[in-house]
Amino acid sequence: MNLHAPAAKVTPRPVSAVAVKAMLGDGKELALVDVREELIFSQNHLLWARNVPLSRLELRFAQLVPRKSTRIVLCDDNDGVAGRAAAILADAGYTDLFYLDGGIGAWEKAGFVTFSGVHVPSKAFGEFVEHDSETPSVSATELDAMMRSGVDLKVLDSRPFDEYSRISIPTGINVPGAELVLKVRDIVPSPDTTIVVNCAGRTRSIIGAQSLINAGVPNKVVALRNGTMGWHLAGLVCATGKSDRAPAVSGASIAWARNASEKVARRLGVTRVDRATVERWRKDAARTTYVFDVRDPAEYKAGHYPGAISSPGGQLVQATDIYAGVLGARIVLSDDKEARALMTASWLKQM
């Protein structure tokens, strides 16, 4: 989508913090976009804001907010950055533009909470899942002791391969989050094997472990608390440059995963749609529809649903804000083996 396409000039309108708060609860689509640089954003921002720095606006915005008539509120530090961003977006054809009057400071002055960090809604959701589901976990020192004692266990690293390759837990096998339910039966054939799911910190470990538990894996499943970071801080040595990936999935594992994920999806009210419905939704000028391909990026490159965006399932749950810029939009997930889409949808539905 060309951000330089000619369009009628639109004047962005100021909107108060109280009005933005009301927008967040009115059930209508909203793109709440913070246009400050990422470091500044990470120190203090609105919970549901998506960060698209002004310096990368023309590279990222069109994919994040594809529908030109979407209601958009821009946030800054009351320093004119939102106005500059609004002018670019108006020139590109976006027609419903607002900016937070008084910037982030006005939000705080109104008595509303701000947050630090990145991907905060997803991380907060992970903490909620752990508390609500009582997801079992082990510390790095406990896992190290288990390894030394010869306990029958498998460490499954739920991050993308590039993260895994840079630094990982010794003996860990790379199985990105959405692949866990699909491939676990091939990797861990014995129900007596303990499965430990790890990531860099917490969220993907929790979601990955709970995915396996929700799917009915017969094994004992635990999350590694604080992931590779916790392993390093405990004085244990991380591995680097590893390339141990899950093998190609077998027919038996696909069948089991489809059945297991279907039960989870049915329990949580996840629905299927056909291609005709998806295409009708995409032509709907009044509503945003995202189509995300949750498979491995290599599978996506080999062929995918027209217009789908590559967003591996584990990452989509971990960082929904960098994929879906519009709150209240429709999300359609694509996966030729179904299990990855169903499990990912089960988490998005709960989120």
Side-chain angles (χ1 to χ4, degrees), residues 14 16-17 28 45 128 148 160 169 172 188 217 223 231 240 271 287:
S16 70
K28 301 176 184 177
H45 60 82
F128 172 81
R148 293 178 183 278
I169 305 299
V188 189
V217 170
W231 187 268
T240 59
T271 57
R287 186 87 185 273

Side-chain angles (χ1 to χ4, degrees), residues 18 56 73 98 102-103 109 120 123 142 144 149 169 180 183 203-204 237 278 288-290 314 318-319 340 347:
V18 171
R56 282 173 278 172
V73 175
F98 299 86
K109 189 175 180 180
V120 176
K123 291 177 179 178
E142 288 171 328
D144 181 57
S149 69
I169 305 299
L180 284 163
K183 296 183 175 180
T203 309
R204 289 170 290 183
V237 178
V278 173
T288 302
T289 297
Y290 296 100
Q318 157 77 5
R340 293 169 289 193
W347 290 119

Side-chain angles (χ1 to χ4, degrees), residues 75-126:
C75 306
D76 65 3
D77 279 322
N78 198 32
D79 52 7
V81 175
R84 290 161 61 192
I88 294 171
L89 296 176
D91 286 343
Y94 288 91
T95 59
D96 199 8
L97 293 166
F98 299 86
Y99 61 90
L100 176 58
D101 195 14
I104 303 300
W107 180 266
E108 294 177 307
K109 189 175 180 180
F112 301 138
V113 177
T114 56
F115 294 80
S116 61
V118 294
H119 315 316
V120 176
S122 293
K123 291 177 179 178
F125 176 65

Side-chain angles (χ1 to χ4, degrees), residues 134-158:
E134 299 183 343
T135 308
S137 63
V138 295
S139 67
T141 52
E142 288 171 328
L143 175 57
D144 181 57
M146 292 165 66
M147 289 175 167
R148 293 178 183 278
S149 69
V151 170
D152 181 13
L153 62 84
K154 288 281 188 183
V155 177
L156 306 184
D157 192 311
S158 63

